[in-house]
Amino acid sequence: MTARDRQRTLVGVDVGGTKIAAGTVTEDGTLLETVVRPTPAAQGPAAVLDAIAAAVRELPGHDRAVGLGLGTGGVVDRDRGVVVSANALLPGWAGTRLGDELRTRLGVPVVADNDANVFALAEQTYGAGAGCADALYVSVGTGIGGGLVTGGRLLRGSHWTAGEFGHIAVPEATGRVCNCGRTGHLEAVASGPAVAARYAERTGGGHTDLRQVAALADPGRGQHPEAGPVPTPRGDAEVARSVLAQGAAALGRALAGLANSFDPERVVVGGGVASIGAPFWQPLTEAFTAELLPGPAGLRPVPAALGPRAAVVGAAALWLER
């Protein structure tokens, strides 16, 4: 029997507004099997819970798993496994008792958390922050979130909102509406949809998505990590680079403020926007470096290591925290 054969098997589940991904994971972070299903969000929480259970049952060996970890959008009370609040992508999701409902459906212990915390935990346990006692993680995609690790432990906060970095107020977002309904937050200028919307506004064009902006900003490399390469569209490359740089610089200054306050040994940045390349990373790094105090002056943001695997692997790692 190999060492891997002797490891416990865990199940990780990532729940988003459009898809559910479930996987079996070993304790060393190896992703063994995955199942992906559409999220029946419009049908309500019960239908989503049923779809999660169905996806888990499709996994070979799920019945031998010692526990299930789940990451989802929204604020989650990790101790009780209850969604405290959620956005419109999952209607009615707030108040859902994830732990109790899935334990009833699947007969296994369940722990649930916010998806940005799950990303941070994955990178802390198996990825770019492995071995760090103090680290700062941020994922930049449809929204912006992350996690703070101190003394090797992920902080949740008194109200489960630790790591909601997307809601830091920044001058670049003045007057711009955030996903939370307020104005002036980082997410309203640096998230993927915000960058695409800003490009459309400045060019007077119609619907534009992040893939198109990325392809214009860097034709040799522009792509979205989950969709692959896209043909370079017609458009204004200079405006594309400008809106990316504006969002990245705002993010860099916000992260530098956190680094000055928190003094981590590593800052890890992941998510779809961070995968664009130089048009994002260069202004991010320059803005970040310019704001650092002398103590952490040598610190630089580094890319996340796990890519799309982080969601499922990190969800499974929730169980290891117990």
Side-chain angles (χ1 to χ4, degrees):
M1 179 181 290
T2 66
R4 179 165 294 172
D5 291 333
R6 290 191 295 269
Q7 291 189 72
R8 297 181 299 172
T9 299
L10 309 165
V11 172
V13 179
D14 173 48
V15 181
T18 59
K19 68 180 177 67
I20 296 164
T24 47
V25 182
T26 60
E27 288 181 287
D28 65 3
T30 302
L31 183 59
L32 301 176
E33 302 279 352
T34 56
V35 170
V36 179
R37 281 175 165 251
T39 305
Q43 298 175 36
V48 175
L49 291 163
D50 288 342
I52 294 169
V56 171
R57 292 190 192 102
E58 288 184 41
L59 290 168
H62 77 275
D63 53 333
R64 298 189 297 276
V66 297
L68 182 152
L70 181 144
T72 181
V75 176
V76 179
D77 180 332
R78 187 192 182 285
D79 288 349
R80 298 188 299 132
V82 176
V83 181
V84 176
S85 62
N87 61 31
L89 292 176
L90 289 166
W93 202 229
T96 302
R97 304 184 67 83
L98 297 170
D100 292 343
E101 294 285 353
L102 290 172
R103 190 179 302 111
T104 297
R105 285 168 170 80
L106 293 166
V108 295
V110 177
V111 61
D113 205 344
N114 165 264
D115 53 6
N117 282 341
V118 162
F119 158 78
L121 187 61
E123 292 291 338
Q124 171 70 18
T125 308
Y126 306 114
C132 292
D134 303 294
L136 168 63
Y137 300 90
V138 61
S139 179
V140 191
T142 304
I144 298 176
L148 292 167
V149 170
T150 181
R153 301 283 296 179
L154 182 62
L155 301 180
R156 266 69 178 206
S158 299
H159 305 93
W160 309 102
T161 62
E164 292 287 346
F165 306 135
H167 304 290
I168 295 173
V170 296
E172 294 88 346
T174 299
R176 302 188 67 82
V177 180
C178 179
N179 288 326
C180 71
R182 296 170 178 83
T183 61
H185 292 179
L186 179 63
E187 196 166 287
V189 71
S191 68
V195 168
R198 183 63 174 155
Y199 175 84
E201 289 170 10
R202 288 186 53 181
T203 59
H207 174 74
T208 305
D209 66 21
L210 179 63
R211 293 178 301 163
Q212 293 171 300
V213 178
L216 281 166
D218 189 358
R221 195 177 184 276
Q223 65 180 45
H224 187 285
E226 295 182 0
V230 295
T232 302
R234 295 180 180 179
D236 192 319
E238 186 60 35
V239 172
R241 286 190 287 270
S242 175
V243 295
L244 273 169
Q246 181 188 45
L251 176 65
R253 283 188 283 274
L255 291 180
L258 290 168
N260 287 334
S261 303
F262 178 59
D263 194 19
E265 55 188 299
R266 194 160 300 163
V267 175
V268 178
V269 183
V273 180
S275 300
I276 287 172
F280 172 84
W281 277 96
Q282 184 174 339
L284 167 71
T285 303
E286 290 175 355
F288 178 84
T289 304
E291 300 295 336
L292 291 177
L293 292 173
L299 194 63
R300 297 293 181 272
V302 300
L306 299 180
R309 289 188 297 132
V312 170
V313 170
L318 286 168
W319 187 254
L320 299 179
E321 282 190 307
R322 297 170 69 92

